[in-house]
Amino acid sequence: MSKEALRVVFLGPPGSGKGTMGKILAEKVTVPHIAVGDLLREAVRAESELGKKAAEFINAGKLVPDELTIGLTREKLSSGECKHGFILDGFPRNLVQAEALEKTLVELNIKLDAVVYFAIPLSLVVDRLTGRRSCKNCGAVYHIKNKPPKKEGVCDACGGELYQRKDDQKEVIENRFKVYDEQTAPLVNFYVNKGKFLEIDASLGIDAVFGRLASVLGIN
Ligand code: AP5
């Protein structure tokens, strides 16, 4: 697989490490990490029309309506930023989005190299989600035990303030798991049947998971 033109989709439960691995991989292979959750949270912060519509769904742990996320993703993939590849994280999350992505890829004449599935039992990700802290300023992601910042509450990268996402509260996490089971998990079969499906054990530590990811993608 050519690392100069890597085009991959990351699929997996909340807290499986898609964002963490997306950021590390994007630096290594110099392709953009397109995280739809991050784009939506940016829109919420900016109080744009999209953000205003998306906020209540995100905070309740529900999927934002397809008509908002499909257009947003299409716009990103067709932009110059993704000309030489992308890591698409958090899209698709249901069959309607998966079919829309297929259509977009055909229209843009893009072939995916792989769909990487981050396999991990939901019971293992509760601690990852409740312990996650994110930077208000640059979006860097930490964990109070697994990846603590050097100074509590302060981002190592930019000095910004760390916060806990509203949807990382226990009650909302339960709803996200339900949505994942009902709507996103069926995509595993969808992509297994299409081929190019790669599964990695996402229950290991951060370095070990990245090692597995690089290995299945053929990146040194
Ligand atoms: P989104 O932000 O995409 O959330 P998610 O898919 O639930 O994924 P997370 O960000 O929670 O987890 P992750 O897998 O990226 O894990 P991370 O690397 O951060 O979406 C949020 C919301 O936006 C959705 O609920 C929905 O409302 C909306 N949305 C987004 N996309 C949408 C779409 N397509 N359609 C409709 N709505 C959409 O890691 C988690 C923690 O664990 C971190 O603290 C990290 O430091 C730690 N960690 C990571 N890897 C490891 C490891 N290997 N070992 C130990 N700790 C680890």
Side-chain angles (χ1 to χ4, degrees):
M1 199 172 295
S2 159
K3 70 173 199 173
E4 282 75 28
L6 188 68
R7 293 180 173 89
V8 286
V9 167
F10 280 2
L11 182 67
S16 55
K18 305 178 298 296
T20 299
M21 293 304 139
K23 287 186 177 72
I24 302 175
L25 183 63
E27 258 183 42
K28 179 118 182 149
V29 299
T30 334
V31 296
H33 171 222
I34 310 295
V36 173
D38 289 349
L39 295 175
L40 291 170
R41 280 184 291 278
E42 269 165 37
V44 172
R45 267 195 299 277
E47 297 181 0
S48 66
E49 280 311 304
L50 168 66
K52 284 180 196 158
K53 288 179 190 157
E56 63 170 299
F57 294 96
I58 297 174
N59 293 339
K62 296 179 182 164
L63 291 189
V64 170
D66 293 335
E67 61 268 26
L68 301 179
T69 56
I70 289 172
L72 177 70
T73 307
R74 193 183 191 294
E75 200 181 300
K76 274 281 166 188
L77 294 185
S78 54
S79 71
E81 190 190 351
C82 291
K83 204 171 161 191
H84 300 296
F86 53 81
I87 300 159
L88 182 57
D89 163 4
F91 189 98
R93 291 173 103 109
N94 61 25
L95 284 167
V96 172
Q97 293 182 10
E99 296 290 3
L101 178 61
E102 291 296 305
K103 195 168 159 236
T104 296
L105 294 174
V106 169
E107 281 167 13
L108 299 174
N109 199 19
I110 293 174
K111 283 201 168 42
L112 286 181
D113 294 308
V115 173
V116 181
Y117 173 58
F118 287 66
I120 187 167
L122 291 183
S123 57
L124 287 189
V125 294
V126 176
D127 174 65
R128 288 193 187 179
L129 292 172
T130 52
R132 171 165 53 192
R133 298 293 181 270
S134 309
C135 177
K136 271 188 180 169
N137 184 43
C138 73
V141 174
Y142 299 86
H143 187 279
I144 50 174
K145 284 185 286 187
N146 307 337
K147 195 186 170 215
K150 291 191 184 101
K151 189 172 170 206
E152 196 185 326
V154 179
C155 177
D156 293 347
C158 75
E161 186 191 338
L162 302 186
Y163 79 107
Q164 184 176 28
R165 278 169 43 177
K166 276 191 187 156
D167 61 345
D168 281 345
Q169 318 279 346
K170 265 204 166 141
E171 321 73 65
V172 186
I173 290 173
E174 277 171 25
N175 202 33
R176 289 165 68 197
F177 285 175
K178 192 165 171 273
V179 168
Y180 177 80
D181 269 338
E182 290 173 0
Q183 303 196 46
T184 312
L187 296 184
V188 168
N189 272 342
F190 179 89
Y191 284 115
V192 166
N193 292 334
K194 288 209 173 294
K196 297 183 183 171
F197 179 84
L198 303 172
E199 178 169 332
I200 56 169
D201 180 356
S203 66
L204 306 167
I206 292 177
D207 292 344
V209 175
F210 186 72
R212 298 286 199 286
L213 176 65
S215 163
V216 295
L217 292 175
I219 290 162
N220 298 316

